[in-house]
Amino acid sequence: MSVRNSRRRSLSRAALIAALLALAAGASGCAQIGDSMSSAFADPAKYELYDCKQLEAERKSLTNRAAEQEGLMAKARTGVGGALVSEMAYRNELIAIHGQQKFAEEAWRKGKCHETPPDTPAATPAPTAAPNAKGSRSRSGLH
């Protein structure tokens, strides 16, 4: 009887793994469809009243958020069932961020905005010592 139980366990584990893989494949397929529909998760009018300075800050923020979300997804993939966890937990947020980035970029182009150059520290001239004039006396009176 123990042989039958061990076979059932191994078959049930194999079935569970196959089901998880099928679910992960299905979820990734849905995620690929969702990437092309990212604008459905964002408000197209959100950036209409932003000026270039606000848009620049928002674009940088969205880029940072997308990188952070992708990092979380990569970290989740390393665990057991990671692909499934990654897709289920983080993909929708990443799709929403990409949609926001798309609309922010459109507003950026429509507003004909340009990146502000990075601040460069003003070149301060190094203080130079005034040369002693010939024949000048020192305070001690010695030459």
Side-chain angles (χ1 to χ4, degrees):
M1 258 221 241
S2 65
V3 174
R4 250 191 231 166
N5 286 337
S6 66
R7 284 185 186 169
R8 282 185 187 169
R9 285 185 191 145
S10 63
L11 286 176
S12 64
R13 283 183 187 165
L16 179 64
I17 291 171
L20 285 175
L21 289 175
L23 186 59
S28 67
C30 291
Q32 290 171 353
I33 291 169
D35 284 342
S36 63
M37 296 175 52
S38 63
S39 59
F41 289 96
D43 180 13
K46 181 176 181 177
Y47 302 110
E48 285 182 1
L49 299 178
Y50 278 43
D51 63 15
C52 289
K53 189 174 183 177
Q54 292 170 317
L55 282 171
E56 184 172 19
E58 184 70 10
R59 288 171 66 225
K60 287 178 184 176
S61 171
L62 289 170
T63 300
N64 292 338
R65 283 180 53 204
E68 179 182 321
Q69 200 70 14
E70 289 167 354
L72 289 171
M73 289 178 72
K75 185 177 180 182
R77 283 188 201 109
T78 62
V80 176
L84 179 64
V85 171
S86 172
E87 294 298 320
M88 299 300 282
Y90 301 114
R91 177 61 68 178
N92 285 344
E93 179 67 21
L94 184 62
I95 291 170
I97 292 169
H98 285 310
Q100 290 175 340
Q101 283 178 316
K102 177 184 173 188
F103 291 128
E105 287 299 320
E106 286 176 5
W108 180 263
R109 283 191 302 274
K110 187 187 278 187
K112 298 177 183 171
C113 299
H114 301 285
E115 296 279 337
T116 56
D119 292 334
T120 54
T124 55
T128 56
N132 287 340
K134 242 184 186 180
S136 67
R137 295 183 183 213
S138 65
R139 288 191 159 169
S140 64
L142 299 172
H143 290 307

